[in-house]
Amino acid sequence: LSNLSWAGHHNLGWFLYKNERLHTFSTSTNWIDSSKANIKSYISADRKEKTEETLTFNGNRINLTNNTRTSLSLRVSSLQNQEDGIMTAWKFVDGYVNMSKREMIDLLNFVSNYIQDCFDVENSASILIDGCENLTDIKNLNLNISWPNTSNS
């Protein structure tokens, strides 16, 4: 163990990782918080990727762009005052599909629920990470993340 007090860091030091007598490792709260923030940022990036994936609704693929989500929300809200027999030609990845008012509402609900489920998964992982109090807790994290299904069928 080398003392770093010469560099103005009293009570801090470094050691070779290959030290076989190393059984525990302690760090300051700042380093634990930084480690937790890094892990959460990786999960957040995964969530962002998942919320932009292509979903499959009744066999039709739909890209989850912001434009698609906004257009879908606006179209469904405009259907509230229309009769049930009105059909909407909605453009999926592979072309247009005529959909009923009920199908459009179901599509919006599927997309909205999928996105919310992704955020819920991220939040659950974040809560687990926040519960870590030391490096051992971080090493023992079980982040077996199960993202929601991208298909409604």
Side-chain angles (χ1 to χ4, degrees):
L1 181 65
S2 293
N3 188 328
L4 294 178
S5 59
W6 61 269
H9 301 288
H10 301 286
N11 300 320
L12 293 179
W14 63 271
F15 52 86
L16 292 174
Y17 185 72
K18 295 178 182 178
N19 184 336
E20 292 192 29
R21 290 180 285 160
L22 177 63
H23 294 291
T24 62
F25 175 80
S26 61
T27 184
S28 70
T29 302
N30 291 341
W31 286 107
I32 290 292
D33 289 343
S34 177
S35 297
K36 293 189 317 189
N38 285 339
I39 295 168
K40 290 195 283 187
S41 73
Y42 301 142
I43 295 169
S44 179
D46 287 348
R47 187 260 318 137
K48 185 176 184 330
E49 185 179 301
K50 295 296 181 185
T51 58
E52 294 173 353
E53 279 198 11
T54 298
L55 300 184
T56 304
F57 178 78
N58 294 344
N60 300 299
R61 296 180 304 142
I62 183 170
N63 290 328
L64 287 186
T65 64
N66 284 334
N67 186 41
T68 299
R69 294 188 300 228
T70 301
S71 297
L72 181 59
S73 295
L74 291 171
R75 181 59 184 141
V76 169
S77 67
S78 73
L79 291 173
Q80 299 302 325
N81 298 326
Q82 294 185 1
E83 297 175 19
D84 288 338
I86 301 292
M87 298 297 283
T88 298
W90 189 258
K91 187 172 183 181
F92 288 89
V93 171
D94 300 317
Y96 285 93
V97 174
N98 285 323
M99 298 180 64
S100 68
K101 178 179 177 178
R102 178 78 256 153
E103 289 171 321
M104 290 297 295
I105 292 168
D106 290 346
L107 174 59
L108 176 62
N109 288 338
F110 173 64
V111 168
S112 297
N113 290 338
Y114 173 82
I115 292 169
Q116 184 58 52
D117 289 348
C118 288
F119 277 97
D120 291 345
V121 167
E122 179 186 7
N123 183 48
S124 294
S126 183
I127 290 168
L128 285 175
I129 294 163
D130 286 340
C132 293
E133 296 178 4
N134 53 51
L135 189 59
T136 301
D137 290 347
I138 289 175
K139 286 182 179 178
N140 292 327
L141 269 175
N142 182 2
L143 293 176
N144 188 11
I145 296 176
S146 178
W147 295 101
N149 192 342
T150 58
S151 176
N152 74 329
S153 49

